[in-house]
PDB file of all heavy atoms in Angstrom:
ATOM      1  N   SER X  44     113.533  96.260  88.811  1.00 95.00           N
ATOM      2  CA  SER X  44     114.568  96.114  89.842  1.00 95.00           C
ATOM      3  C   SER X  44     114.235  94.957  90.773  1.00 95.00           C
ATOM      4  O   SER X  44     115.118  94.151  91.115  1.00 95.00           O
ATOM      5  CB  SER X  44     114.680  97.418  90.636  1.00 95.00           C
ATOM      6  OG  SER X  44     115.554  97.265  91.737  1.00 95.00           O
ATOM      7  N   ALA X  45     112.981  94.846  91.172  1.00 95.00           N
ATOM      8  CA  ALA X  45     112.572  93.757  92.065  1.00 95.00           C
ATOM      9  C   ALA X  45     112.752  92.403  91.383  1.00 95.00           C
ATOM     10  O   ALA X  45     113.201  91.431  92.012  1.00 95.00           O
ATOM     11  CB  ALA X  45     111.109  93.944  92.478  1.00 95.00           C
ATOM     12  N   ILE X  46     112.397  92.319  90.107  1.00 96.00           N
ATOM     13  CA  ILE X  46     112.550  91.065  89.348  1.00 96.00           C
ATOM     14  C   ILE X  46     114.018  90.658  89.298  1.00 96.00           C
ATOM     15  O   ILE X  46     114.374  89.497  89.528  1.00 96.00           O
ATOM     16  CB  ILE X  46     111.979  91.227  87.927  1.00 96.00           C
ATOM     17  CG1 ILE X  46     110.451  91.393  87.985  1.00 96.00           C
ATOM     18  CG2 ILE X  46     112.352  90.035  87.042  1.00 96.00           C
ATOM     19  CD1 ILE X  46     109.828  91.816  86.667  1.00 96.00           C
ATOM     20  N   ALA X  47     114.884  91.631  89.028  1.00 96.00           N
ATOM     21  CA  ALA X  47     116.325  91.348  88.940  1.00 96.00           C
ATOM     22  C   ALA X  47     116.887  90.924  90.296  1.00 96.00           C
ATOM     23  O   ALA X  47     117.695  89.996  90.381  1.00 96.00           O
ATOM     24  CB  ALA X  47     117.056  92.579  88.413  1.00 96.00           C
ATOM     25  N   GLN X  48     116.458  91.585  91.366  1.00 95.00           N
ATOM     26  CA  GLN X  48     116.967  91.262  92.698  1.00 95.00           C
ATOM     27  C   GLN X  48     116.581  89.854  93.138  1.00 95.00           C
ATOM     28  O   GLN X  48     117.293  89.235  93.937  1.00 95.00           O
ATOM     29  CB  GLN X  48     116.441  92.284  93.706  1.00 95.00           C
ATOM     30  CG  GLN X  48     117.080  93.653  93.578  1.00 95.00           C
ATOM     31  CD  GLN X  48     116.434  94.682  94.489  1.00 95.00           C
ATOM     32  OE1 GLN X  48     115.638  94.344  95.364  1.00 95.00           O
ATOM     33  NE2 GLN X  48     116.767  95.959  94.283  1.00 95.00           N
ATOM     34  N   CYS X  49     115.486  89.340  92.608  1.00 96.00           N
ATOM     35  CA  CYS X  49     115.053  87.981  92.951  1.00 96.00           C
ATOM     36  C   CYS X  49     115.574  86.939  91.963  1.00 96.00           C
ATOM     37  O   CYS X  49     115.172  85.762  92.014  1.00 96.00           O
ATOM     38  CB  CYS X  49     113.522  87.925  93.014  1.00 96.00           C
ATOM     39  SG  CYS X  49     112.828  88.908  94.359  1.00 96.00           S
ATOM     40  N   ASP X  50     116.454  87.370  91.058  1.00 95.00           N
ATOM     41  CA  ASP X  50     117.082  86.475  90.070  1.00 95.00           C
ATOM     42  C   ASP X  50     116.057  85.784  89.171  1.00 95.00           C
ATOM     43  O   ASP X  50     116.278  84.648  88.725  1.00 95.00           O
ATOM     44  CB  ASP X  50     117.950  85.412  90.759  1.00 95.00           C
ATOM     45  CG  ASP X  50     119.179  86.028  91.426  1.00 95.00           C
ATOM     46  OD1 ASP X  50     119.699  87.029  90.892  1.00 95.00           O
ATOM     47  OD2 ASP X  50     119.590  85.521  92.470  1.00 95.00           O
ATOM     48  N   MET X  51     114.948  86.456  88.908  1.00 96.00           N
ATOM     49  CA  MET X  51     113.970  85.910  87.976  1.00 96.00           C
ATOM     50  C   MET X  51     114.243  86.455  86.580  1.00 96.00           C
ATOM     51  O   MET X  51     114.820  87.540  86.417  1.00 96.00           O
ATOM     52  CB  MET X  51     112.547  86.239  88.429  1.00 96.00           C
ATOM     53  CG  MET X  51     112.207  85.632  89.783  1.00 96.00           C
ATOM     54  SD  MET X  51     110.455  85.720  90.209  1.00 96.00           S
ATOM     55  CE  MET X  51     109.780  84.352  89.256  1.00 96.00           C
ATOM     56  N   HIS X  52     113.824  85.704  85.581  1.00 94.00           N
ATOM     57  CA  HIS X  52     114.137  86.052  84.196  1.00 94.00           C
ATOM     58  C   HIS X  52     112.997  86.866  83.598  1.00 94.00           C
ATOM     59  O   HIS X  52     111.853  86.417  83.538  1.00 94.00           O
ATOM     60  CB  HIS X  52     114.357  84.779  83.373  1.00 94.00           C
ATOM     61  CG  HIS X  52     114.679  85.040  81.936  1.00 94.00           C
ATOM     62  ND1 HIS X  52     115.852  85.632  81.529  1.00 94.00           N
ATOM     63  CD2 HIS X  52     113.967  84.798  80.804  1.00 94.00           C
ATOM     64  CE1 HIS X  52     115.867  85.722  80.213  1.00 94.00           C
ATOM     65  NE2 HIS X  52     114.725  85.232  79.748  1.00 94.00           N
ATOM     66  N   HIS X  53     113.319  88.084  83.148  1.00 94.00           N
ATOM     67  CA  HIS X  53     112.332  88.968  82.522  1.00 94.00           C
ATOM     68  C   HIS X  53     112.251  88.619  81.033  1.00 94.00           C
ATOM     69  O   HIS X  53     113.195  88.839  80.280  1.00 94.00           O
ATOM     70  CB  HIS X  53     112.764  90.430  82.725  1.00 94.00           C
ATOM     71  CG  HIS X  53     111.906  91.414  81.989  1.00 94.00           C
ATOM     72  ND1 HIS X  53     112.429  92.519  81.350  1.00 94.00           N
ATOM     73  CD2 HIS X  53     110.575  91.449  81.786  1.00 94.00           C
ATOM     74  CE1 HIS X  53     111.452  93.201  80.798  1.00 94.00           C
ATOM     75  NE2 HIS X  53     110.323  92.570  81.049  1.00 94.00           N
ATOM     76  N   GLN X  54     111.104  88.078  80.614  1.00 93.00           N
ATOM     77  CA  GLN X  54     110.968  87.602  79.238  1.00 93.00           C
ATOM     78  C   GLN X  54     110.272  88.586  78.309  1.00 93.00           C
ATOM     79  O   GLN X  54     110.605  88.679  77.134  1.00 93.00           O
ATOM     80  CB  GLN X  54     110.217  86.262  79.232  1.00 93.00           C
ATOM     81  CG  GLN X  54     110.962  85.159  79.969  1.00 93.00           C
ATOM     82  CD  GLN X  54     110.269  83.813  79.850  1.00 93.00           C
ATOM     83  OE1 GLN X  54     109.049  83.735  79.775  1.00 93.00           O
ATOM     84  NE2 GLN X  54     111.053  82.757  79.820  1.00 93.00           N
ATOM     85  N   ASP X  55     109.277  89.287  78.830  1.00 94.00           N
ATOM     86  CA  ASP X  55     108.503  90.177  77.963  1.00 94.00           C
ATOM     87  C   ASP X  55     107.698  91.137  78.830  1.00 94.00           C
ATOM     88  O   ASP X  55     107.514  90.901  80.025  1.00 94.00           O
ATOM     89  CB  ASP X  55     107.554  89.347  77.080  1.00 94.00           C
ATOM     90  CG  ASP X  55     106.921  90.168  75.964  1.00 94.00           C
ATOM     91  OD1 ASP X  55     107.440  91.264  75.652  1.00 94.00           O
ATOM     92  OD2 ASP X  55     105.903  89.714  75.408  1.00 94.00           O
ATOM     93  N   GLN X  56     107.222  92.222  78.232  1.00 93.00           N
ATOM     94  CA  GLN X  56     106.306  93.109  78.925  1.00 93.00           C
ATOM     95  C   GLN X  56     105.398  93.804  77.916  1.00 93.00           C
ATOM     96  O   GLN X  56     105.770  93.986  76.753  1.00 93.00           O
ATOM     97  CB  GLN X  56     107.045  94.133  79.781  1.00 93.00           C
ATOM     98  CG  GLN X  56     107.891  95.147  79.017  1.00 93.00           C
ATOM     99  CD  GLN X  56     108.729  95.974  79.971  1.00 93.00           C
ATOM    100  OE1 GLN X  56     109.593  95.442  80.679  1.00 93.00           O
ATOM    101  NE2 GLN X  56     108.491  97.284  79.997  1.00 93.00           N
ATOM    102  N   GLN X  57     104.198  94.145  78.369  1.00 92.00           N
ATOM    103  CA  GLN X  57     103.208  94.780  77.502  1.00 92.00           C
ATOM    104  C   GLN X  57     102.520  95.910  78.248  1.00 92.00           C
ATOM    105  O   GLN X  57     102.171  95.760  79.422  1.00 92.00           O
ATOM    106  CB  GLN X  57     102.132  93.770  77.061  1.00 92.00           C
ATOM    107  CG  GLN X  57     102.637  92.638  76.186  1.00 92.00           C
ATOM    108  CD  GLN X  57     101.515  91.684  75.817  1.00 92.00           C
ATOM    109  OE1 GLN X  57     100.628  91.418  76.614  1.00 92.00           O
ATOM    110  NE2 GLN X  57     101.558  91.179  74.596  1.00 92.00           N
ATOM    111  N   ARG X  58     102.310  97.010  77.561  1.00 91.00           N
ATOM    112  CA  ARG X  58     101.482  98.084  78.104  1.00 91.00           C
ATOM    113  C   ARG X  58     100.044  97.780  77.719  1.00 91.00           C
ATOM    114  O   ARG X  58      99.614  98.048  76.602  1.00 91.00           O
ATOM    115  CB  ARG X  58     101.931  99.436  77.556  1.00 91.00           C
ATOM    116  CG  ARG X  58     103.350  99.798  77.953  1.00 91.00           C
ATOM    117  CD  ARG X  58     103.733 101.216  77.527  1.00 91.00           C
ATOM    118  NE  ARG X  58     105.123 101.470  77.880  1.00 91.00           N
ATOM    119  CZ  ARG X  58     105.538 101.815  79.081  1.00 91.00           C
ATOM    120  NH1 ARG X  58     104.649 101.962  80.048  1.00 91.00           N
ATOM    121  NH2 ARG X  58     106.815 102.009  79.326  1.00 91.00           N
ATOM    122  N   VAL X  59      99.322  97.175  78.634  1.00 93.00           N
ATOM    123  CA  VAL X  59      97.954  96.742  78.334  1.00 93.00           C
ATOM    124  C   VAL X  59      97.059  97.960  78.100  1.00 93.00           C
ATOM    125  O   VAL X  59      96.312  98.026  77.126  1.00 93.00           O
ATOM    126  CB  VAL X  59      97.387  95.874  79.470  1.00 93.00           C
ATOM    127  CG1 VAL X  59      96.009  95.348  79.111  1.00 93.00           C
ATOM    128  CG2 VAL X  59      98.334  94.707  79.755  1.00 93.00           C
ATOM    129  N   THR X  60      97.134  98.919  78.993  1.00 92.00           N
ATOM    130  CA  THR X  60      96.469 100.210  78.817  1.00 92.00           C
ATOM    131  C   THR X  60      97.487 101.275  79.197  1.00 92.00           C
ATOM    132  O   THR X  60      97.832 101.393  80.373  1.00 92.00           O
ATOM    133  CB  THR X  60      95.221 100.343  79.714  1.00 92.00           C
ATOM    134  OG1 THR X  60      94.282  99.320  79.369  1.00 92.00           O
ATOM    135  CG2 THR X  60      94.564 101.709  79.532  1.00 92.00           C
ATOM    136  N   PRO X  61      97.998 102.037  78.223  1.00 89.00           N
ATOM    137  CA  PRO X  61      99.032 103.031  78.528  1.00 89.00           C
ATOM    138  C   PRO X  61      98.616 103.953  79.663  1.00 89.00           C
ATOM    139  O   PRO X  61      97.512 104.478  79.700  1.00 89.00           O
ATOM    140  CB  PRO X  61      99.155 103.807  77.203  1.00 89.00           C
ATOM    141  CG  PRO X  61      98.763 102.803  76.153  1.00 89.00           C
ATOM    142  CD  PRO X  61      97.669 101.983  76.787  1.00 89.00           C
ATOM    143  N   GLY X  62      99.528 104.093  80.633  1.00 90.00           N
ATOM    144  CA  GLY X  62      99.272 104.972  81.762  1.00 90.00           C
ATOM    145  C   GLY X  62      98.496 104.342  82.891  1.00 90.00           C
ATOM    146  O   GLY X  62      98.347 104.931  83.963  1.00 90.00           O
ATOM    147  N   LYS X  63      97.985 103.106  82.677  1.00 94.00           N
ATOM    148  CA  LYS X  63      97.173 102.455  83.718  1.00 94.00           C
ATOM    149  C   LYS X  63      97.605 101.036  84.038  1.00 94.00           C
ATOM    150  O   LYS X  63      97.546 100.631  85.191  1.00 94.00           O
ATOM    151  CB  LYS X  63      95.701 102.446  83.311  1.00 94.00           C
ATOM    152  CG  LYS X  63      95.023 103.797  83.412  1.00 94.00           C
ATOM    153  CD  LYS X  63      93.519 103.664  83.253  1.00 94.00           C
ATOM    154  CE  LYS X  63      92.829 105.008  83.461  1.00 94.00           C
ATOM    155  NZ  LYS X  63      91.350 104.889  83.380  1.00 94.00           N
ATOM    156  N   CYS X  64      98.000 100.262  83.042  1.00 96.00           N
ATOM    157  CA  CYS X  64      98.328  98.861  83.303  1.00 96.00           C
ATOM    158  C   CYS X  64      99.502  98.396  82.448  1.00 96.00           C
ATOM    159  O   CYS X  64      99.535  98.614  81.230  1.00 96.00           O
ATOM    160  CB  CYS X  64      97.119  97.963  83.032  1.00 96.00           C
ATOM    161  SG  CYS X  64      97.453  96.205  83.356  1.00 96.00           S
ATOM    162  N   LEU X  65     100.438  97.758  83.116  1.00 96.00           N
ATOM    163  CA  LEU X  65     101.619  97.178  82.482  1.00 96.00           C
ATOM    164  C   LEU X  65     101.771  95.759  82.998  1.00 96.00           C
ATOM    165  O   LEU X  65     101.607  95.505  84.193  1.00 96.00           O
ATOM    166  CB  LEU X  65     102.856  98.012  82.843  1.00 96.00           C
ATOM    167  CG  LEU X  65     104.225  97.567  82.330  1.00 96.00           C
ATOM    168  CD1 LEU X  65     104.269  97.648  80.806  1.00 96.00           C
ATOM    169  CD2 LEU X  65     105.318  98.441  82.938  1.00 96.00           C
ATOM    170  N   GLN X  66     102.056  94.810  82.093  1.00 96.00           N
ATOM    171  CA  GLN X  66     102.233  93.419  82.501  1.00 96.00           C
ATOM    172  C   GLN X  66     103.602  92.895  82.076  1.00 96.00           C
ATOM    173  O   GLN X  66     104.060  93.156  80.959  1.00 96.00           O
ATOM    174  CB  GLN X  66     101.130  92.544  81.913  1.00 96.00           C
ATOM    175  CG  GLN X  66      99.788  92.775  82.589  1.00 96.00           C
ATOM    176  CD  GLN X  66      98.692  91.875  82.084  1.00 96.00           C
ATOM    177  OE1 GLN X  66      98.698  91.445  80.941  1.00 96.00           O
ATOM    178  NE2 GLN X  66      97.705  91.598  82.943  1.00 96.00           N
ATOM    179  N   PHE X  67     104.238  92.172  82.999  1.00 97.00           N
ATOM    180  CA  PHE X  67     105.544  91.569  82.760  1.00 97.00           C
ATOM    181  C   PHE X  67     105.377  90.055  82.712  1.00 97.00           C
ATOM    182  O   PHE X  67     104.672  89.472  83.542  1.00 97.00           O
ATOM    183  CB  PHE X  67     106.515  91.914  83.892  1.00 97.00           C
ATOM    184  CG  PHE X  67     106.777  93.383  84.068  1.00 97.00           C
ATOM    185  CD1 PHE X  67     105.901  94.175  84.795  1.00 97.00           C
ATOM    186  CD2 PHE X  67     107.898  93.971  83.509  1.00 97.00           C
ATOM    187  CE1 PHE X  67     106.131  95.522  84.973  1.00 97.00           C
ATOM    188  CE2 PHE X  67     108.138  95.333  83.682  1.00 97.00           C
ATOM    189  CZ  PHE X  67     107.257  96.108  84.414  1.00 97.00           C
ATOM    190  N   VAL X  68     106.035  89.416  81.769  1.00 97.00           N
ATOM    191  CA  VAL X  68     106.115  87.959  81.716  1.00 97.00           C
ATOM    192  C   VAL X  68     107.494  87.576  82.219  1.00 97.00           C
ATOM    193  O   VAL X  68     108.511  88.025  81.677  1.00 97.00           O
ATOM    194  CB  VAL X  68     105.911  87.421  80.285  1.00 97.00           C
ATOM    195  CG1 VAL X  68     105.975  85.895  80.280  1.00 97.00           C
ATOM    196  CG2 VAL X  68     104.592  87.913  79.707  1.00 97.00           C
ATOM    197  N   ILE X  69     107.544  86.773  83.288  1.00 97.00           N
ATOM    198  CA  ILE X  69     108.820  86.402  83.896  1.00 97.00           C
ATOM    199  C   ILE X  69     108.835  84.900  84.155  1.00 97.00           C
ATOM    200  O   ILE X  69     107.800  84.231  84.105  1.00 97.00           O
ATOM    201  CB  ILE X  69     109.055  87.158  85.218  1.00 97.00           C
ATOM    202  CG1 ILE X  69     107.948  86.830  86.233  1.00 97.00           C
ATOM    203  CG2 ILE X  69     109.117  88.666  84.968  1.00 97.00           C
ATOM    204  CD1 ILE X  69     108.147  87.476  87.596  1.00 97.00           C
ATOM    205  N   SER X  70     110.003  84.379  84.449  1.00 96.00           N
ATOM    206  CA  SER X  70     110.117  82.958  84.784  1.00 96.00           C
ATOM    207  C   SER X  70     111.057  82.789  85.968  1.00 96.00           C
ATOM    208  O   SER X  70     111.940  83.607  86.216  1.00 96.00           O
ATOM    209  CB  SER X  70     110.606  82.145  83.579  1.00 96.00           C
ATOM    210  OG  SER X  70     111.904  82.562  83.190  1.00 96.00           O
ATOM    211  N   GLY X  71     110.845  81.696  86.692  1.00 96.00           N
ATOM    212  CA  GLY X  71     111.660  81.404  87.858  1.00 96.00           C
ATOM    213  C   GLY X  71     111.048  80.266  88.644  1.00 96.00           C
ATOM    214  O   GLY X  71     110.013  79.713  88.250  1.00 96.00           O
ATOM    215  N   ASN X  72     111.650  79.923  89.763  1.00 94.00           N
ATOM    216  CA  ASN X  72     111.106  78.840  90.578  1.00 94.00           C
ATOM    217  C   ASN X  72     110.164  79.396  91.651  1.00 94.00           C
ATOM    218  O   ASN X  72     110.035  80.612  91.826  1.00 94.00           O
ATOM    219  CB  ASN X  72     112.232  77.997  91.192  1.00 94.00           C
ATOM    220  CG  ASN X  72     113.156  78.820  92.079  1.00 94.00           C
ATOM    221  OD1 ASN X  72     112.703  79.661  92.860  1.00 94.00           O
ATOM    222  ND2 ASN X  72     114.460  78.562  91.978  1.00 94.00           N
ATOM    223  N   SER X  73     109.518  78.517  92.373  1.00 92.00           N
ATOM    224  CA  SER X  73     108.509  78.933  93.345  1.00 92.00           C
ATOM    225  C   SER X  73     109.114  79.740  94.492  1.00 92.00           C
ATOM    226  O   SER X  73     108.490  80.670  95.008  1.00 92.00           O
ATOM    227  CB  SER X  73     107.772  77.711  93.902  1.00 92.00           C
ATOM    228  OG  SER X  73     108.680  76.800  94.495  1.00 92.00           O
ATOM    229  N   GLU X  74     110.322  79.401  94.902  1.00 94.00           N
ATOM    230  CA  GLU X  74     110.986  80.129  95.983  1.00 94.00           C
ATOM    231  C   GLU X  74     111.266  81.569  95.562  1.00 94.00           C
ATOM    232  O   GLU X  74     111.046  82.519  96.331  1.00 94.00           O
ATOM    233  CB  GLU X  74     112.288  79.431  96.365  1.00 94.00           C
ATOM    234  CG  GLU X  74     113.005  80.063  97.545  1.00 94.00           C
ATOM    235  CD  GLU X  74     114.252  79.295  97.951  1.00 94.00           C
ATOM    236  OE1 GLU X  74     114.293  78.071  97.742  1.00 94.00           O
ATOM    237  OE2 GLU X  74     115.175  79.935  98.482  1.00 94.00           O
ATOM    238  N   GLN X  75     111.750  81.742  94.334  1.00 95.00           N
ATOM    239  CA  GLN X  75     112.002  83.086  93.818  1.00 95.00           C
ATOM    240  C   GLN X  75     110.702  83.873  93.697  1.00 95.00           C
ATOM    241  O   GLN X  75     110.649  85.070  93.998  1.00 95.00           O
ATOM    242  CB  GLN X  75     112.680  82.995  92.446  1.00 95.00           C
ATOM    243  CG  GLN X  75     114.105  82.472  92.495  1.00 95.00           C
ATOM    244  CD  GLN X  75     114.637  82.156  91.106  1.00 95.00           C
ATOM    245  OE1 GLN X  75     113.883  81.712  90.223  1.00 95.00           O
ATOM    246  NE2 GLN X  75     115.926  82.393  90.902  1.00 95.00           N
ATOM    247  N   ALA X  76     109.638  83.191  93.271  1.00 95.00           N
ATOM    248  CA  ALA X  76     108.344  83.852  93.107  1.00 95.00           C
ATOM    249  C   ALA X  76     107.804  84.341  94.443  1.00 95.00           C
ATOM    250  O   ALA X  76     107.246  85.443  94.535  1.00 95.00           O
ATOM    251  CB  ALA X  76     107.349  82.906  92.445  1.00 95.00           C
ATOM    252  N   GLU X  77     107.971  83.542  95.497  1.00 94.00           N
ATOM    253  CA  GLU X  77     107.505  83.955  96.825  1.00 94.00           C
ATOM    254  C   GLU X  77     108.308  85.150  97.328  1.00 94.00           C
ATOM    255  O   GLU X  77     107.748  86.091  97.926  1.00 94.00           O
ATOM    256  CB  GLU X  77     107.623  82.792  97.806  1.00 94.00           C
ATOM    257  CG  GLU X  77     107.092  83.100  99.201  1.00 94.00           C
ATOM    258  CD  GLU X  77     105.633  83.531  99.219  1.00 94.00           C
ATOM    259  OE1 GLU X  77     104.850  83.052  98.376  1.00 94.00           O
ATOM    260  OE2 GLU X  77     105.281  84.375 100.084  1.00 94.00           O
ATOM    261  N   GLN X  78     109.602  85.133  97.080  1.00 96.00           N
ATOM    262  CA  GLN X  78     110.446  86.257  97.467  1.00 96.00           C
ATOM    263  C   GLN X  78     110.014  87.513  96.715  1.00 96.00           C
ATOM    264  O   GLN X  78     109.907  88.606  97.308  1.00 96.00           O
ATOM    265  CB  GLN X  78     111.909  85.938  97.160  1.00 96.00           C
ATOM    266  CG  GLN X  78     112.879  87.050  97.542  1.00 96.00           C
ATOM    267  CD  GLN X  78     114.317  86.733  97.126  1.00 96.00           C
ATOM    268  OE1 GLN X  78     114.621  85.636  96.653  1.00 96.00           O
ATOM    269  NE2 GLN X  78     115.189  87.706  97.283  1.00 96.00           N
ATOM    270  N   LEU X  79     109.740  87.364  95.420  1.00 96.00           N
ATOM    271  CA  LEU X  79     109.306  88.509  94.613  1.00 96.00           C
ATOM    272  C   LEU X  79     107.952  89.030  95.089  1.00 96.00           C
ATOM    273  O   LEU X  79     107.730  90.243  95.155  1.00 96.00           O
ATOM    274  CB  LEU X  79     109.228  88.110  93.137  1.00 96.00           C
ATOM    275  CG  LEU X  79     108.725  89.203  92.180  1.00 96.00           C
ATOM    276  CD1 LEU X  79     109.648  90.425  92.213  1.00 96.00           C
ATOM    277  CD2 LEU X  79     108.601  88.652  90.757  1.00 96.00           C
ATOM    278  N   LYS X  80     107.052  88.124  95.429  1.00 94.00           N
ATOM    279  CA  LYS X  80     105.724  88.531  95.890  1.00 94.00           C
ATOM    280  C   LYS X  80     105.829  89.430  97.113  1.00 94.00           C
ATOM    281  O   LYS X  80     105.141  90.457  97.216  1.00 94.00           O
ATOM    282  CB  LYS X  80     104.877  87.293  96.206  1.00 94.00           C
ATOM    283  CG  LYS X  80     103.459  87.621  96.646  1.00 94.00           C
ATOM    284  CD  LYS X  80     102.657  86.349  96.870  1.00 94.00           C
ATOM    285  CE  LYS X  80     101.237  86.681  97.320  1.00 94.00           C
ATOM    286  NZ  LYS X  80     100.419  85.463  97.525  1.00 94.00           N
ATOM    287  N   GLN X  81     106.692  89.065  98.070  1.00 93.00           N
ATOM    288  CA  GLN X  81     106.861  89.876  99.269  1.00 93.00           C
ATOM    289  C   GLN X  81     107.456  91.240  98.934  1.00 93.00           C
ATOM    290  O   GLN X  81     107.049  92.273  99.494  1.00 93.00           O
ATOM    291  CB  GLN X  81     107.762  89.141 100.275  1.00 93.00           C
ATOM    292  CG  GLN X  81     107.195  87.827 100.780  1.00 93.00           C
ATOM    293  CD  GLN X  81     105.816  87.992 101.392  1.00 93.00           C
ATOM    294  OE1 GLN X  81     105.564  88.934 102.155  1.00 93.00           O
ATOM    295  NE2 GLN X  81     104.902  87.092 101.062  1.00 93.00           N
ATOM    296  N   SER X  82     108.402  91.259  98.017  1.00 94.00           N
ATOM    297  CA  SER X  82     109.016  92.520  97.597  1.00 94.00           C
ATOM    298  C   SER X  82     108.005  93.421  96.903  1.00 94.00           C
ATOM    299  O   SER X  82     107.950  94.629  97.151  1.00 94.00           O
ATOM    300  CB  SER X  82     110.195  92.239  96.665  1.00 94.00           C
ATOM    301  OG  SER X  82     110.746  93.445  96.172  1.00 94.00           O
ATOM    302  N   LEU X  83     107.169  92.824  96.049  1.00 94.00           N
ATOM    303  CA  LEU X  83     106.167  93.599  95.313  1.00 94.00           C
ATOM    304  C   LEU X  83     105.099  94.148  96.256  1.00 94.00           C
ATOM    305  O   LEU X  83     104.597  95.256  96.065  1.00 94.00           O
ATOM    306  CB  LEU X  83     105.523  92.745  94.223  1.00 94.00           C
ATOM    307  CG  LEU X  83     106.445  92.294  93.090  1.00 94.00           C
ATOM    308  CD1 LEU X  83     105.683  91.408  92.111  1.00 94.00           C
ATOM    309  CD2 LEU X  83     107.052  93.494  92.365  1.00 94.00           C
ATOM    310  N   PHE X  84     104.742  93.369  97.280  1.00 90.00           N
ATOM    311  CA  PHE X  84     103.747  93.820  98.248  1.00 90.00           C
ATOM    312  C   PHE X  84     104.233  95.081  98.956  1.00 90.00           C
ATOM    313  O   PHE X  84     103.482  96.046  99.135  1.00 90.00           O
ATOM    314  CB  PHE X  84     103.472  92.714  99.271  1.00 90.00           C
ATOM    315  CG  PHE X  84     102.390  93.054 100.267  1.00 90.00           C
ATOM    316  CD1 PHE X  84     101.050  92.890  99.948  1.00 90.00           C
ATOM    317  CD2 PHE X  84     102.718  93.550 101.523  1.00 90.00           C
ATOM    318  CE1 PHE X  84     100.053  93.215 100.859  1.00 90.00           C
ATOM    319  CE2 PHE X  84     101.726  93.866 102.443  1.00 90.00           C
ATOM    320  CZ  PHE X  84     100.390  93.705 102.106  1.00 90.00           C
TER     321      PHE X  84
END
């Protein structure tokens, strides 16, 4: 939801360790990334 709200493109995701770690691969510009960082925090 946070990725979508910042208009960043969700490219891929992996469950690195099920139940403990998940990683998303996304793309966007630096302004969008800063906005997303604040939302994620």
Side-chain angles (χ1 to χ4, degrees):
S44 173
I46 292 169
Q48 288 174 11
C49 294
D50 292 327
M51 298 191 79
H52 180 68
H53 173 220
Q54 297 185 327
D55 191 18
Q56 66 188 63
Q57 295 179 324
R58 297 186 183 279
V59 184
T60 299
K63 286 191 176 183
C64 181
L65 178 65
Q66 288 183 331
F67 299 83
V68 181
I69 61 177
S70 62
N72 59 42
S73 57
E74 184 177 331
Q75 291 169 326
E77 183 58 33
Q78 181 184 354
L79 177 61
K80 182 177 180 179
Q81 297 304 316
S82 176
L83 295 178
F84 184 82

